[in-house]
Amino acid sequence: MTPNASVPSSPSQTGDAPPIVEVRGVSKVYHRGPVEISVLRGLDLSLPRGVFAAFMGPSGSGKTTLLNLVGGLDVPSAGAVSVAGEILAALRPRALAAWRAAHVGFIVQLYNLIPVLTAADNVELPLLLTHLNRKQRAEHVRTALEVVGLSDRAGHYPRQLSGGQEQRVAIARAIVTDPTIVVADEPTGDLDAESAAEVLTLLRRLNQEFGKTILMVTHDPHAAEVAGRVYRLDKGRLASER
Amino acid sequence: MSHLKLIRRNALRKPLRAILTFAAVCIAMFVFGLVFTFIDLLTAGAEELEKAPVIWVRHKISLMFPVPEKYEEQIQAIPGVATCAPMMWTEGAYKDPSIYFPQFGTDPNDVFDGFAGVTTDPGQLAEFQRDLTGCAAGKALADRCGWRVGDRIYLGRRLWPVDLDLTLRCIYTSTKTDDEGMLLYNIKALQEGFLKKTGHRYDTVGTYRVGVETLDQVPAVIEAIDGKFADHDFPTKSEPEAAFIRSFISMWGDVPGIARFVGTVIIIFLVLICGNSLAMVMRERVREVAVLKTLGFSSARILTVLVAEALLVSTLGGLCGLGASVWVAGSGLFDMFMPGASMRMETILLSAAAAVGIGLVAGVGPAWLAVRAPIVDGLRRVS
């Protein structure tokens, strides 16, 4: 079974909603010793609330860099990124960390769970930064694990879970704080087809049923089909949009 | 879950490494505690001794050479001298060779006068002074050997060709633990035994312990004593009690200095071991640190968690080692080397602070390196 066979595309996308992500004239240059590597070149992008956007393109095209900038993990060399009206470059590191905790749910490739914590503890991690008490945190964790269908694996450690289950725990962790946007970098990159389909189904459900804004980087065209919008990047610029 | 659970789980994620680090800190702090207890014993009561109007008189060249018995009367005749008691190192063999304690032949009538920190029962002291074969023991020594007043104590010949059959008449207490580890007896018992055994009278003593009337008279009395015997066959060197104890200890070299050096080396050694271990831990967890940052954990919070992990292992290891050294120091296991030893509160606090300091110093550097790595670089790391 392939992901696209089991997961239908998103039926509707909110093209007329106000933008939640605004990228204006963004460039990003990395310095590797004396060498300058220009990854993004004056990129403009506007994404409405509730969108499920996939970013595709060859390696080095700037997909992950764009995601990092939108998620507040990195700062642009030029231009501005604003998310939900907040210009990220204006935030100091501590404020940016607090902003990430409140507004962004991250899903990266596998191996991003803390191995010494159970699934429930991993999901609870972002809640330690909130003012919720123990009981409230437990309730949130239970709900998030229910959403990803892993209530019965709450006490399991990452090593006791399959790759797909680990990634679903990561998704639960990403949504447990009810973030403004969810960014996913190759969420199915290390998964077999069946697990990838489960993860994509879940992301699509989060978008459609819970209205989550999702930005996903993927190399897999089948995965991209699940998204409502697909942006193709090439050499640091938007090459096409569907 | 709480931050504490996160810290605990992370600290124990590699059990073998955690146990080895814990053991290293534990053993090192055990040795550190004993070393500093040893230093305390050597230097204990120094301030009290400085204030004591007491002089020790010995041969000018070395403690190895005796001074004549007849000096006693001449010293007592010097203005400012209150008492003068011979102190003769004996080294008799006790029935249990594993129990070692210093023994001195002395004059029971004078020995306790001006003896800083020592308290005696008047009745028991009178018995000690009356009985030629009587002896007095410090409370720590009496407790260690299970002696009670009236017990017979037999010291076999070793340095001297004399067997001493003594009766315990007095148990004294002292604010200085090593003073409580001594046995004192009437020097006449030794001299009479020597005469009976060899047919010769032994008319020299090792040292004199001289009580001075007031502290400010000490320099003048020292000058008077040494001046009096300067041209004799047995010239003397007189020192205040504190200086005498220091020079006695320095016969083995700068023991407190060496012990402090050993203690410092232990700490440096531990910081390097723990630092290396923690650096390995942090290198392995750069990606995890990056994940925590993506979740919104601030650098300061992550740094606190990582350093707390180091502190947990070092503090637990240190406290266990410290507990063991407190127990050993007080149990009498090392009485042969450290009679009457027990760990002072200052030493306990110093050792505990050292254990915490090790965790802090060893943990902060590697943790800081892990935390300051850019998130995007950390996420690219493969575990």
Side-chain angles (χ1 to χ4, degrees):
Chain A
M1 186 171 67
T2 57
N4 62 321
S6 61
V7 180
S9 337
S10 185
S12 66
Q13 287 298 311
T14 51
D16 51 350
I20 194 163
V21 176
E22 289 266 14
V23 177
R24 289 287 166 257
V26 163
S27 297
K28 180 66 185 179
V29 178
Y30 287 112
H31 296 271
R32 293 285 180 265
V35 181
E36 281 192 354
I37 302 166
S38 190
V39 183
L40 293 177
R41 302 160 193 261
L43 192 138
D44 292 306
L45 179 69
S46 181
L47 295 173
R49 187 180 293 274
V51 74
F52 187 167
F55 295 88
M56 299 190 71
S59 292
S61 60
K63 309 179 298 290
T64 297
T65 301
L66 175 62
L67 214 61
N68 290 340
L69 294 176
V70 172
L73 301 183
D74 207 350
V75 289
S77 305
V81 176
S82 68
V83 179
E86 190 82 63
I87 298 170
L88 303 189
L91 299 174
R92 297 179 69 82
R94 183 183 283 266
L96 190 59
W99 177 84
R100 279 197 303 271
H103 293 284
V104 189
F106 283 93
I107 305 162
V108 293
Q109 276 184 283
L110 283 182
Y111 317 118
N112 62 349
L113 299 181
I114 307 297
V116 292
L117 299 179
T118 63
D121 288 341
N122 267 287
V123 175
E124 193 182 349
L125 267 178
L127 298 176
L128 293 179
L129 306 174
T130 67
H131 296 296
L132 298 176
N133 61 33
R134 181 186 288 263
K135 192 177 172 187
Q136 290 168 322
R137 293 202 303 266
E139 189 60 39
H140 279 65
V141 169
R142 194 160 38 247
T143 304
L145 285 173
E146 273 173 19
V147 168
V148 300
L150 286 176
S151 299
D152 57 337
R153 294 284 191 273
H156 288 215
Y157 288 92
R159 64 176 180 279
Q160 298 168 318
L161 301 171
S162 68
Q165 287 171 331
E166 272 196 71
Q167 198 61 306
R168 281 152 65 193
V169 172
I171 292 171
R173 187 177 64 185
I175 62 170
V176 73
T177 56
D178 193 21
T180 311
I181 60 171
V182 174
V183 297
D185 189 1
E186 300 271 13
T188 59
D190 277 1
L191 300 180
D192 60 65
E194 191 174 345
S195 298
E198 287 173 4
V199 167
L200 290 170
T201 301
L202 185 56
L203 289 175
R204 184 176 154 275
R205 198 174 143 227
L206 289 173
N207 174 244
Q208 291 195 327
E209 290 183 25
F210 297 93
K212 288 288 159 206
T213 302
I214 299 175
L215 284 70
M216 176 177 72
V217 161
T218 182
H219 276 107
D220 182 357
H222 301 312
E225 284 177 19
V226 180
R229 291 187 184 189
V230 180
Y231 296 90
R232 187 169 295 279
L233 277 81
D234 189 25
K235 294 177 183 170
R237 293 192 176 91
L238 275 179
S240 66
E241 177 184 350
R242 173 179 68 77
Chain B
M1 194 185 62
S2 62
H3 284 88
L4 201 60
K5 183 176 179 183
L6 181 63
I7 291 163
R8 184 166 47 84
R9 286 285 173 83
N10 275 327
L12 299 174
R13 73 165 52 199
K14 302 269 186 187
L16 181 61
R17 186 157 59 195
I19 288 169
L20 290 176
T21 308
F22 171 90
V25 178
C26 183
I27 292 167
M29 293 313 297
F30 171 73
V31 175
F32 181 85
L34 288 184
V35 164
F36 273 80
T37 300
F38 180 59
I39 295 170
D40 287 343
L41 279 172
L42 293 179
T43 57
E47 282 183 17
E48 206 171 349
L49 288 179
E50 296 284 358
K51 293 173 192 164
V54 175
I55 294 168
W56 284 73
V57 180
R58 64 172 172 89
H59 194 287
K60 187 175 184 179
I61 295 174
S62 166
L63 264 173
M64 301 299 291
F65 297 97
V67 285
E69 186 188 19
K70 63 185 179 188
Y71 279 9
E72 183 175 351
E73 279 181 25
Q74 297 177 57
I75 291 171
Q76 278 181 328
I78 291 173
V81 171
T83 60
C84 180
M87 296 292 276
M88 179 68 99
W89 183 272
T90 313
E91 194 90 18
Y94 184 57
K95 63 181 179 183
D96 181 351
S98 70
I99 299 178
Y100 172 84
F101 51 90
Q103 309 142 20
F104 290 97
T106 186
D107 182 347
N109 295 308
D110 289 334
V111 70
F112 288 121
D113 290 343
F115 210 130
V118 169
T119 309
T120 54
D121 176 86
Q124 290 183 7
L125 179 59
E127 282 298 295
F128 174 39
Q129 291 166 341
R130 180 196 59 76
D131 183 0
L132 182 68
T133 61
C135 65
K139 186 172 183 308
L141 176 63
D143 289 346
R144 192 169 130 221
C145 298
W147 293 339
R148 291 181 181 180
V149 171
D151 285 356
R152 286 180 64 187
I153 299 168
Y154 185 80
L155 301 175
R157 65 192 71 185
R158 195 183 273 162
L159 284 181
W160 304 89
V162 179
D163 298 321
L164 292 167
D165 192 359
L166 306 171
T167 304
L168 185 63
R169 298 295 182 195
C170 174
I171 295 176
Y172 64 88
T173 59
S174 173
T175 52
K176 277 187 72 197
T177 49
D178 53 340
D179 279 349
E180 275 201 10
M182 290 194 301
L183 181 127
L184 304 167
Y185 65 91
N186 194 328
I187 194 170
K188 287 179 182 165
L190 179 72
Q191 289 169 332
E192 287 186 9
F194 189 85
L195 183 62
K196 272 186 198 166
K197 193 74 186 173
T198 65
H200 300 289
R201 190 163 189 286
Y202 193 85
D203 56 0
T204 56
V205 300
T207 55
Y208 285 106
R209 187 172 182 279
V210 178
V212 182
E213 287 169 358
T214 60
L215 190 59
D216 55 1
Q217 288 177 293
V218 166
V221 171
I222 285 174
E223 199 178 334
I225 294 173
D226 290 345
K228 191 174 192 66
F229 304 118
D231 297 328
H232 285 55
D233 292 340
F234 297 89
T236 59
K237 181 177 180 181
S238 307
E239 297 168 294
E241 185 155 42
F244 175 77
I245 300 293
R246 278 197 297 271
S247 69
F248 183 73
I249 292 168
S250 69
M251 283 170 59
W252 306 312
D254 182 12
V255 177
I258 292 168
R260 280 193 194 93
F261 175 75
V262 170
T264 308
V265 167
I266 288 170
I267 294 296
I268 294 171
F269 190 57
L270 261 186
V271 168
L272 293 177
I273 289 176
C274 294
N276 184 47
S277 173
L278 291 167
M280 280 194 292
V281 170
M282 300 308 169
R283 271 198 301 276
E284 292 164 5
R285 286 168 54 192
V286 169
R287 185 184 168 88
E288 276 182 37
V289 168
V291 169
L292 288 175
K293 282 185 177 177
T294 64
L295 297 179
F297 281 72
S298 65
S299 295
R301 190 184 289 255
I302 296 171
L303 189 69
T304 305
V305 169
L306 294 177
V307 172
E309 289 173 35
L311 276 177
L312 183 67
V313 175
S314 72
T315 305
L316 281 181
L319 290 180
C320 284
L322 181 57
S325 61
V326 169
W327 179 77
V328 167
S331 69
L333 280 177
F334 285 93
D335 274 357
M336 183 167 179
F337 313 104
M338 297 192 285
S342 66
M343 198 175 284
R344 289 192 312 149
M345 183 52 72
E346 289 90 334
T347 304
I348 292 172
L349 293 176
L350 174 70
S351 303
V356 173
I358 287 165
L360 272 179
V361 174
V364 166
W368 173 247
L369 289 176
V371 166
R372 75 170 195 164
I375 302 176
V376 290
D377 290 348
L379 288 176
R380 285 199 197 102
R381 291 271 190 103
V382 177
S383 296

